[in-house]
Amino acid sequence: MDLIRRCRAGDEEAFAALFHQYKNLVYRTAYLMLDNADDAEDVLQEVFLQVHRSLSTFEPSKGAFTTWLYRITVNHCLSRRRKRHLLVISLEQVPPLALTEHPSSQGRVEDEEAIQQALSRLSDKLRTIIILRYYLELSYAEIAQILNIPIGTVKSRLDLALKTLRQELGTVPYTFPLKEVAK
Amino acid sequence: MKCQEMDKLLVAYLDNEVTPSERTLIQAHLAGCERCQEELAALSALQSRVSQFLQFRAAQAAPSPQAWSRLQARLAGEARPSPSWLPTWLQRLAPGVGRINQIFEGGITVKKGFALAAIAALVIAFSAVAFIPSVRAQVIGWVRARWEVPRGSMEIIIGPQPGYTVLVPSYLPDVIGSASHMVGVTSMGDDGTIRNFFGDPDGQWLQISQGPAPADKALPAGQEVTIGGQKGVLITGLSGTLELVPPLPEDVQGTPPADRLESFAYQDAQRLVWDVSGTRVEILSNLPVEEMLKVAESFAPAETGEGALPVQPSLPSDGKTGGGGEGPIESRP
């Protein structure tokens, strides 16, 4: 919080430190939401421009800085996804995602592609909630705050998202012993 | 608890987001229900699979090493006052823009008005006849070197020069000019008509069309208004469909996103038509009439301010004319 206080006081070194502390989280969240490295790069810029402009309005009493940061990130991503519906063309073809060769097997790559495709077919709402929960590992209360929705809606949306994914991906083999998951 | 009720709680149970009493009920049910045990295991495996995938995929991605220097440059640009000759709406859309008066390596002069309009609108597509890839590549490189243009969203097509005075508004309502919701399209028809679409199809939007004022064609019927001392016509209560798909030259590379918005239906829109300096201008918008009139009053020829602010670059070597542009949307004339 000291870093935030220093940033709010106009300390540019503190702002640089803040950027480097959170750049990966913001970039990777945007990358997962937008499926495009260039778009993620742009969102990273837009998010921190907004943070720089609006840090004075951030109220620590109303929630954590990260919650505020994630909200800005998600809003920029959703706005960009919306705009993307209107994009006409890409002159420079974005190279296909280079899935790093994984030592395990070709099956692993196919599995990743299947999940990727299933995720990309989800609506923006469902995809967002999946990323907030299973990438950022946020609690339902934090997700509710970021998306400004009731916790009950978080529950029902996650339930729907997972069940939609399961339908897309087909039967999932039983792999986890119950005692590990029934905490 | 019945299996059906259980089904709605299993995801939250796995996420440790149920109340203690719900937990007790769920565990009691699970102890005696093989079907729900299997359902739980399947959901758990799926969660794990999704989570592992997201973590793995994210770990492969990292921002570019230039991210901080880019941000610093943009922050510095925001702190600097904008050049006074830029219309305010262009300043909003192309922050950090400086003086443009650049000679291209290939002998093309891209003057500031055109390049700014291109960037501001995010798209310029001249339904091109003269289409020169090498020129386009130069223009793209030049524009990219100077602005933070989203990669993958730029298009530049070389087209003919309009034979009339192109006008730009110096006023756009904040709701239209707001960068976060801004979507711009410029397209040019074979008849030289230029259309710009601004705004949000789900919110407030504005389409400006302009072309040569037909000497033999009177203004359409409607309520008479005065715009900058000129007679204009206002037509209200319009509904219809606005096309957002541009005509694209055959050799343009790239595949448009399958889910792009090609058109949208509108209701309760207004149309404002008037002639000025030999140009017929039309505004179609769902903004309040007062706002549309304010935008209309602010129209001025693009060539204003210090130095020329032309709308077209020219190709002196072979007599062809060139244009530049980039970006996201368009409307078919």
Side-chain angles (χ1 to χ4, degrees):
Chain A
M1 196 45 75
D2 185 51
L3 198 57
I4 308 291
R5 191 183 51 73
R6 284 171 51 207
C7 288
R8 291 173 70 154
D11 182 338
E12 290 302 320
E13 275 184 29
F15 186 73
L18 188 80
F19 174 82
H20 290 297
Q21 186 170 333
Y22 292 106
K23 66 180 179 186
N24 281 345
L25 266 183
V26 169
Y27 177 85
R28 287 170 176 167
T29 303
Y31 180 70
L32 292 175
M33 285 192 68
L34 298 167
D35 274 337
N36 182 297
D38 290 335
D39 284 347
E41 197 77 36
D42 289 336
V43 166
L44 175 66
Q45 298 284 317
E46 287 157 14
V47 166
F48 277 94
L49 279 174
Q50 188 173 340
V51 168
H52 193 265
R53 280 188 215 116
S54 316
L55 206 50
S56 57
T57 64
F58 164 63
E59 293 181 40
S61 59
K62 289 191 177 173
F65 171 73
T66 46
T67 306
W68 185 70
L69 184 67
Y70 291 145
R71 178 184 281 198
I72 294 174
T73 305
V74 166
N75 286 343
H76 275 284
C77 289
L78 291 175
S79 167
R80 189 163 279 256
R81 279 185 74 83
R82 234 191 130 269
K83 278 191 208 169
R84 198 191 268 175
H85 291 285
L86 297 164
L87 291 183
V88 165
I89 202 157
S90 296
L91 185 65
E92 291 181 5
Q93 296 279 51
V94 178
L97 172 73
L99 274 175
T100 304
E101 285 302 320
H102 200 271
S104 62
S105 68
Q106 180 64 26
R108 166 76 185 244
V109 173
E110 284 169 5
D111 188 51
E112 280 160 6
E113 283 172 0
I115 298 177
Q116 175 56 28
Q117 283 181 14
L119 281 170
S120 68
R121 281 195 289 269
L122 288 182
S123 67
D124 287 353
K125 279 181 183 175
L126 298 187
R127 182 186 174 93
T128 301
I129 209 153
I130 286 279
I131 290 165
L132 292 177
R133 174 64 199 146
Y134 299 113
Y135 170 60
L136 293 174
E137 298 179 337
L138 301 176
S139 69
Y140 286 15
E142 288 170 305
I143 296 172
Q145 205 180 350
I146 288 166
L147 299 179
N148 201 21
I149 54 176
I151 288 186
T153 307
V154 174
K155 277 187 189 175
S156 56
R157 221 177 258 184
L158 262 175
D159 185 66
L160 177 62
L162 276 178
K163 285 171 182 167
T164 308
L165 279 178
R166 185 168 59 171
Q167 210 166 8
E168 293 268 352
L169 290 167
T171 312
V172 179
Y174 176 86
T175 53
F176 286 78
L178 268 179
K179 62 181 179 185
E180 280 189 23
V181 293
K183 297 169 193 169
Chain B
M1 190 179 274
K2 292 178 184 170
C3 293
Q4 206 175 354
E5 296 169 80
M6 279 287 293
D7 188 54
K8 291 179 182 164
L9 288 171
L10 287 179
V11 172
Y13 174 70
L14 286 167
D15 285 337
N16 214 13
E17 294 271 4
V18 290
T19 63
S21 59
E22 282 173 332
R23 174 170 300 282
T24 307
L25 285 170
I26 292 166
Q27 286 176 339
H29 179 93
L30 281 173
C33 179
E34 200 172 322
R35 193 186 129 198
C36 286
Q37 282 179 26
E38 283 173 8
E39 177 71 5
L40 183 73
L43 283 171
S44 171
L46 177 63
Q47 277 187 340
S48 172
R49 192 175 166 197
V50 170
S51 177
Q52 280 174 19
F53 168 78
L54 292 173
Q55 302 295 342
F56 173 71
R57 185 164 157 80
Q60 293 177 299
S64 73
Q66 292 81 35
W68 171 244
S69 54
R70 279 181 69 201
L71 183 65
Q72 275 184 307
R74 290 182 70 175
L75 289 170
E78 284 200 340
R80 272 200 303 273
S82 304
S84 59
W85 49 262
L86 283 175
T88 50
W89 67 292
L90 292 184
Q91 288 175 24
R92 274 207 300 267
L93 301 174
V97 125
R99 178 190 294 265
I100 309 160
N101 221 338
Q102 194 73 26
I103 307 294
F104 276 84
E105 290 155 13
I108 307 162
T109 306
V110 171
K111 294 174 186 170
K112 56 195 174 191
F114 181 78
L116 284 176
I119 289 153
L122 288 180
V123 173
I124 287 216
F126 285 77
S127 71
V129 227
F131 188 76
I132 308 162
S134 62
V135 170
R136 187 179 58 174
Q138 275 188 4
V139 177
I140 289 171
W142 181 81
V143 172
R144 281 219 175 113
R146 282 157 184 79
W147 291 285
E148 299 288 343
V149 178
R151 276 166 292 178
S153 63
M154 176 189 283
E155 182 53 270
I156 297 195
I157 301 168
I158 308 299
Q161 185 162 1
Y164 57 92
T165 307
V166 176
L167 305 163
V168 294
S170 61
Y171 169 78
L172 281 181
D174 282 343
V175 66
I176 295 288
S178 151
S180 61
H181 300 290
M182 182 69 194
V183 168
V185 180
T186 303
S187 61
M188 189 174 184
D190 292 335
D191 58 353
T193 307
I194 296 179
R195 295 189 180 213
N196 293 75
F197 177 87
F198 298 110
D200 180 351
D202 289 335
Q204 299 213 281
W205 50 269
L206 178 82
Q207 177 173 269
I208 298 166
S209 312
Q210 49 188 317
D216 55 344
K217 201 171 164 190
L219 293 171
Q223 182 189 338
E224 278 193 22
V225 288
T226 306
I227 300 161
Q230 302 286 325
K231 182 186 155 195
V233 166
L234 173 70
I235 305 152
T236 58
L238 296 171
S239 59
T241 303
L242 202 60
E243 300 290 334
L244 292 171
V245 181
L248 290 170
E250 286 174 5
D251 55 348
V252 171
Q253 298 297 307
T255 309
D259 57 354
R260 69 178 163 162
L261 184 62
E262 298 197 348
S263 63
F264 70 94
Y266 63 86
Q267 287 184 323
D268 294 327
Q270 287 84 236
R271 183 176 163 219
L272 202 54
V273 190
W274 75 106
D275 291 343
V276 56
S277 307
T279 302
R280 173 154 297 181
V281 190
E282 286 195 27
I283 299 179
L284 180 68
S285 174
N286 63 354
L287 284 169
V289 171
E290 317 79 75
E291 284 288 356
M292 286 176 69
L293 286 168
K294 212 168 154 185
V295 173
E297 292 279 357
S298 79
F299 269 77
E303 295 186 19
T304 58
E306 106 187 30
L309 199 63
V311 184
Q312 292 296 116
S314 60
L315 258 180
S317 55
D318 59 2
K320 290 175 182 172
T321 54
E326 53 126 350
I329 331 168
E330 300 202 3
S331 64
R332 184 185 292 278

